[in-house]
Amino acid sequence: MRTLKFSFFLGLLAFISCSSTDENNINDAIVNIPKTFKVLSLGDSYTIGQSVCNTCRFPEQLKDSLELRFTVQDTIKLKIIAQTGWTTTNLKTAIANENLQNDYDLVTLLIGVNNQYQGKPFSLYETEFPELVEEAITASNGDKNKLIVVSIPDYAFTPFGQNNGNPEITTSEIDSYNTFAENYCNENDITYVYITDITRQGLMDTDLIASDNLHPSELAYTKFVERILPIAIEKIE
């Protein structure tokens, strides 16, 4: 009888061990299923990365940082719709011509500096910025929690900005654009990331300015990503 009980005990242990191993294997398989995350970045020269390398612009740096966060099997696909000189109107037209899919896991929007620089009526931004926000939300399958609006850099704190026009007026007007965008985002529970202060260090730290003496450098974009990344990770996960 004692031998029978001992044999039964060994069998039970073997069954539990096998069951546990099978469950672990299943869990490992589930954990290691490759995933694809889609990121969309909308904007102008600050998004396309004027005067820096293709991998230096902030959307690419953000993509690379996200890839380090996830497993090697996972894929981050990045699409950029941006061009130097684009106003809100230009960006709206470009988005309309893209026939975008509405399955993006993360969308960034940084737009408005050319409205200011080209002297467009502020009312145009007041109308078109909310429209662009809605289009960005549509691209993320209607989920506003997948959107990050990034503040407009201040080019007054560059050699170009100091030598062209009135730097004080430039800063004041960019503040107006950013205040409107931030208030709109706060009122509509949309994530807003402020990076303008980084660019306002450009005259003291010239490493933050690209070789054209106007746009942010790779280092500046790295600092942008340091602020955006933790939020982006939460939104994708």
Side-chain angles (χ1 to χ4, degrees), residues 37-57:
F37 301 98
K38 296 178 64 177
V39 178
L40 173 65
S41 289
L42 307 171
D44 49 39
S45 60
Y46 296 134
T47 295
I48 200 63
Q50 180 69 33
S51 299
V52 298
C53 68
N54 288 345
T55 58
C56 301
R57 51 198 178 194

Side-chain angles (χ1 to χ4, degrees), residues 5-32:
K5 288 183 178 179
F6 184 70
S7 299
F8 174 77
F9 178 71
L10 289 178
L12 180 61
L13 284 179
F15 174 77
I16 293 173
S17 176
C18 290
S19 298
S20 177
T21 301
D22 290 341
E23 183 177 350
N24 288 337
N25 289 337
I26 292 172
N27 288 336
D28 288 344
I30 293 174
V31 170
N32 292 326

Side-chain angles (χ1 to χ4, degrees), residues 63-131:
K63 171 180 174 289
D64 291 344
S65 297
L66 287 170
E67 286 178 337
L68 293 175
R69 170 72 182 185
F70 297 98
T71 67
V72 293
Q73 292 92 352
D74 296 332
T75 302
I76 309 290
K77 290 186 176 181
L78 171 65
K79 182 176 181 62
I80 298 176
I81 302 177
Q83 187 169 305
T84 299
W86 274 2
T87 63
T88 50
T89 304
N90 298 133
L91 181 56
K92 279 174 56 66
T93 300
I95 293 173
N97 291 335
E98 282 286 339
N99 192 27
L100 283 173
Q101 294 181 330
N102 301 333
D103 59 349
Y104 286 90
D105 300 288
L106 178 69
V107 182
T108 66
L109 174 63
L110 196 176
I111 193 69
V113 70
N114 292 299
N115 290 60
Q116 183 275 331
Y117 180 71
Q118 296 176 23
K120 303 294 184 183
F122 187 69
S123 58
L124 180 67
Y125 187 77
E126 291 177 308
T127 298
E128 294 189 338
F129 174 77
E131 293 173 350

Side-chain angles (χ1 to χ4, degrees), residues 153-193:
D154 189 350
Y155 68 89
F157 290 81
T158 67
F160 176 91
Q162 290 290 303
N163 297 320
N164 292 268
N166 187 316
E168 288 77 17
I169 292 177
T170 297
T171 292
S172 176
E173 292 180 348
I174 287 177
D175 277 342
S176 295
Y177 277 82
N178 281 332
T179 297
F180 175 82
E182 182 175 15
N183 287 341
Y184 181 85
C185 288
N186 289 339
E187 291 168 2
N188 291 277
D189 197 23
I190 294 166
T191 301
Y192 179 86
V193 177

